Amino acid sequence: MNRAEFCFHAELNDFLPRESKKVTLTHQFNNHPSIKDSIESFGIPHPEVETIAVNGKAVDFSYPVQDGDRCDIYPISQSVELSPRVSLRPQPEPRFVLDIHLGKLAGFLRMLGFDTLYRNDYPDEELARVSSTENRILLTRDIGLLKRGIVTQGYWVRSTNPHERLEEVLRRFQLLDAITPFSRCIHCNGLLETVTKNSILERLEPRTRENYEEFRRCNSCDKIYWKGSHYEKMQEFIQGVIRNPVVKHL
């Protein structure tokens, strides 16, 4: 029986049982399994991993684990610079697909201008396929879903609080500078475009027609938006996220 040492750093310990957190673990194995399979045997989904160092040298997921190896596994928050640098996956664009448990988070991400797919009836296999074929980051509360082989970009959302979830994702993917508020439809994810009041006049309620002059329309579902009473609350929420992106859960 071969043996290798594994050390999981920072938030990767979230997936380990209490007695296995922040300690060096011994992994017993036959033959030479890939380090990806070995990592997931500990319960850690591979999309959470950013850097792998074996005996001080960077490797990718295909590396066959050898007897006596020392394996250090890092998330993005503690990614280390090794020479030569080995990339585990392409750098993701800030485009998302979310599972059924994250509907409020989907609305928040769209409010901030991020391309976010969400349905309350996505089956797991479709979530994995969309993430893979469209190069979207899969956000989920299902650890098993992240372990699917075709998923390369993904993240297990830790917090159960909707506002903290948003802050968590913004910090994890370093998105504060990419926020473009009110550029997408909260309901369908389509892009919003400015329209003249005259072009939509017949669609407006009398009070809206009287009190507002600036309008946007979704180029996908045709929904009309204006700066109503909810706009200031949304602005206040967005500014709070930008000014104070603190995630207590991590």
Side-chain angles (χ1 to χ4, degrees), residues 106-107 109-111 113-114 116 182-193 217-225:
L109 288 170
R110 289 172 178 175
M111 186 193 305
F114 296 107
T116 304
F182 309 114
S183 59
R184 285 192 176 270
C185 177
I186 294 175
H187 296 277
C188 81
N189 194 47
L191 289 171
L192 301 184
E193 56 187 8
R217 178 172 58 198
C218 175
N219 65 8
S220 181
C221 71
D222 209 35
K223 184 176 176 62
I224 302 296
Y225 289 85

Side-chain angles (χ1 to χ4, degrees), residues 47 50 76 87-96 131 134-138 152-154 172-175:
E50 183 68 14
I76 193 170
S87 177
L88 299 182
R89 61 185 65 83
Q91 186 67 24
E93 296 181 20
R95 304 167 67 242
F96 301 94
S131 174
E134 298 188 19
N135 194 30
R136 290 180 178 272
I137 299 165
L138 174 59
T152 58
Q153 312 283 0
R172 166 61 178 81
F173 295 100
Q174 302 176 4
L175 298 176

Side-chain angles (χ1 to χ4, degrees), residues 218-237:
C218 175
N219 65 8
S220 181
C221 71
D222 209 35
K223 184 176 176 62
I224 302 296
Y225 289 85
W226 62 92
K227 296 179 181 179
S229 58
H230 61 288
Y231 178 78
E232 287 187 6
K233 290 184 178 179
M234 293 169 71
Q235 280 280 43
E236 189 175 310
F237 168 73

Side-chain angles (χ1 to χ4, degrees), residues 1 13 69 101 105 111 143 147 164 169-170 173 182 191 193 200 204 210 214 216 218 243 248:
M1 181 74 71
N13 285 273
D69 277 347
H101 305 288
L105 176 59
M111 186 193 305
I143 295 173
K147 291 182 179 180
E164 287 186 3
V169 170
L170 292 177
F173 295 100
F182 309 114
L191 289 171
E193 56 187 8
I200 56 169
L204 304 177
E210 179 181 347
E214 297 179 359
R216 289 185 176 185
C218 175
R243 288 194 306 266
K248 297 179 181 178

Side-chain angles (χ1 to χ4, degrees), residues 105-132:
L105 176 59
F108 287 156
L109 288 170
R110 289 172 178 175
M111 186 193 305
L112 298 183
F114 296 107
D115 184 350
T116 304
L117 297 185
Y118 172 80
R119 291 195 339 236
N120 60 10
D121 61 349
Y122 265 135
D124 285 357
E125 57 270 21
E126 187 170 359
L127 284 166
R129 180 190 61 78
V130 169
S131 174
S132 175

Side-chain angles (χ1 to χ4, degrees), residues 71-111:
C71 308
D72 285 277
I73 318 299
Y74 299 90
I76 193 170
S77 69
Q78 283 198 3
S79 183
V80 295
E81 289 294 332
L82 300 172
S83 183
R85 180 172 175 80
V86 175
S87 177
L88 299 182
R89 61 185 65 83
Q91 186 67 24
E93 296 181 20
R95 304 167 67 242
F96 301 94
V97 58
L98 278 64
D99 75 12
I100 188 174
H101 305 288
L102 301 174
K104 286 188 177 179
L105 176 59
F108 287 156
L109 288 170
R110 289 172 178 175
M111 186 193 305

